[in-house]
Amino acid sequence: MLSQIKGLHHVTSLASSARENNAFFTNVLGLRRVKKTVNFDAPDVYHLYYGDEAGSPGTVMTYFPFPHAARGKRGTGEVGTTSFVIPKGTAKSWAERLGTFDIANITQDTRFGETRVLFDGPDGDRFALVEKDDDRAPWTGNGIGADMGIRGFHSADMRLRDGGASSELLTFMGYDKLETEGNVTRFVVPGGNAANVIDIETLPEVGHAGQGAGSVHHIAFAVENRARQLEVREALIDTGWQVTPVIDRDYFWAIYFRTPGGVLFEVATNEPGFDRDEDTAHLGEALKLPSQHEHLRARLEKLLEPIEG
Ligand code: ZN
């Protein structure tokens, strides 16, 4: 069993409009855009990152906005709901705030005793804001103060026809099975960061998801550094997993592997971070390109739609 994995690092999803995506995460949810770059594997598309002030691991929601992409089909074999922490007692205020924007399917419920506000993103993405004590500092602005600001991720929720193999995998990765409520089982990584929860929702009758706008593309788990990442990679390979080589994503190092239920997992390093190529005070403002794509800058600046205004 591994001990290097510390919770979520980032969650990456697909969108149909960079402009709408940016407005939703900054103006509605009040996160900070911490990086404006391109998909390193397909540089005609943005890669936008939103999080806390520094883009700390465990706070960063990222998107590949493919203009006019068709919506994904909800189902199994995917991450259903991405959850963020909000301060206790603010669910009602959040529901009211979301109601003042054009946000679909706002509801409230309780899971494992925690109060949640559920709602859809611009492409039918499913999100929850979960009330919990959390000492991470929120980014503030856009009418959201520290009293209600999002603290970072709470959890990601995998929707699976059969959760057995993924439960075993999470256990191998260092997660403890905490409790079960209905068809949802909660896993928590001891000694992890504040984004230390994964829920598995078992839906044996539900068909497979189809990926598109609003779908989660992958979830990334945090390890401290490259040495810990190599230990995880070796252990996964020794157990029979097909894991990619280590890939340089400029702001972290990444390895990827496909889980039995169909969800793509990444393990990402907390180093070097988003201030690697711009000052913390100006994160996310300029278009940053990895050195291998810098020669495309003039073409990309024309091609990529403006995300503000
Ligand atoms: Zn990633």
Side-chain angles (χ1 to χ4, degrees):
M1 184 163 129
L2 298 172
S3 58
Q4 296 90 341
I5 289 169
K6 300 301 180 191
L8 289 171
H9 183 285
H10 63 269
V11 175
T12 296
S13 296
L14 307 175
S16 62
S17 161
R19 190 189 293 263
E20 272 185 51
N21 183 254
N22 182 72
F24 178 74
F25 280 96
T26 59
N27 299 341
V28 179
L29 296 187
L31 300 185
R32 183 185 198 193
R33 193 177 69 239
V34 293
K35 195 61 64 182
K36 180 165 74 168
T37 183
V38 293
N39 181 337
F40 288 13
D41 301 323
D44 285 1
V45 175
Y46 277 121
H47 194 178
L48 303 175
Y49 292 73
Y50 311 96
D52 69 358
E53 180 179 22
S56 306
T59 73
V60 183
M61 186 79 216
T62 100
Y63 272 85
F64 299 130
F66 289 88
H68 314 298
R71 271 197 186 188
K73 177 179 155 283
R74 296 278 82 87
T76 48
E78 68 172 355
V79 169
T81 304
T82 305
S83 299
F84 297 90
V85 175
I86 53 171
K88 282 190 171 167
T90 62
K92 187 164 172 282
S93 309
W94 268 105
E96 285 165 9
R97 175 182 172 84
L98 294 169
T100 65
F101 295 92
D102 186 22
I103 305 292
N105 297 318
I106 305 169
T107 58
Q108 291 186 58
D109 74 357
T110 305
R111 180 184 272 190
F112 296 109
E114 295 171 330
T115 301
R116 308 191 297 174
V117 184
L118 296 136
F119 55 100
D120 285 1
D123 293 297
D125 337 30
R126 291 296 290 156
F127 295 109
L129 302 177
V130 184
E131 288 191 359
K132 191 177 182 179
D133 288 327
D134 187 328
D135 59 10
R136 290 177 289 180
W139 183 247
T140 55
N142 293 311
I144 300 173
D147 56 330
M148 91 183 250
I150 287 174
R151 267 48 183 173
F153 288 124
H154 173 280
S155 58
D157 170 342
M158 296 200 284
R159 291 159 56 89
L160 303 174
R161 289 185 79 131
D162 176 350
S166 291
S167 301
E168 276 178 38
L169 173 60
L170 285 175
T171 304
F172 178 70
M173 290 168 65
Y175 280 77
D176 287 343
K177 190 184 282 191
L178 197 68
E179 52 186 329
T180 297
E181 183 179 282
N183 64 338
V184 180
T185 301
R186 174 153 291 185
F187 293 81
V188 175
V189 67
N193 63 24
N196 60 351
V197 176
I198 297 286
D199 286 343
I200 290 184
E201 187 175 6
T202 307
L203 299 158
E205 311 294 325
V206 176
H208 208 77
Q211 200 165 72
S215 302
V216 172
H217 185 267
H218 63 267
I219 56 176
F221 296 87
V223 289
E224 192 57 38
N225 55 39
R226 296 188 69 192
R228 299 290 87 76
Q229 182 180 54
L230 287 175
E231 291 166 8
V232 170
R233 182 170 186 274
E234 197 172 329
L236 287 167
I237 288 171
D238 284 349
T239 317
W241 296 97
Q242 302 274 331
V243 187
T244 67
V246 176
I247 301 171
D248 182 359
R249 296 304 190 194
D250 276 17
Y251 312 108
F252 47 89
W253 298 80
I255 57 174
Y256 303 87
F257 62 108
R258 182 76 61 183
T259 66
V263 177
L264 183 62
F265 277 9
E266 174 183 343
V267 176
T269 58
N270 290 350
E271 59 179 6
F274 293 97
D275 60 356
R276 178 182 173 274
D277 60 357
E278 54 191 342
D279 288 343
T280 304
H282 295 284
L283 285 181
E285 293 173 13
L287 178 66
K288 305 306 283 187
L289 297 175
S291 54
Q292 66 269 32
H293 297 320
E294 193 56 57
H295 68 285
L296 301 172
R297 178 172 289 277
R299 187 172 76 77
L300 293 175
E301 283 179 347
K302 271 202 212 94
L303 175 82
L304 295 164
E305 66 168 319
I307 59 179
E308 276 155 317

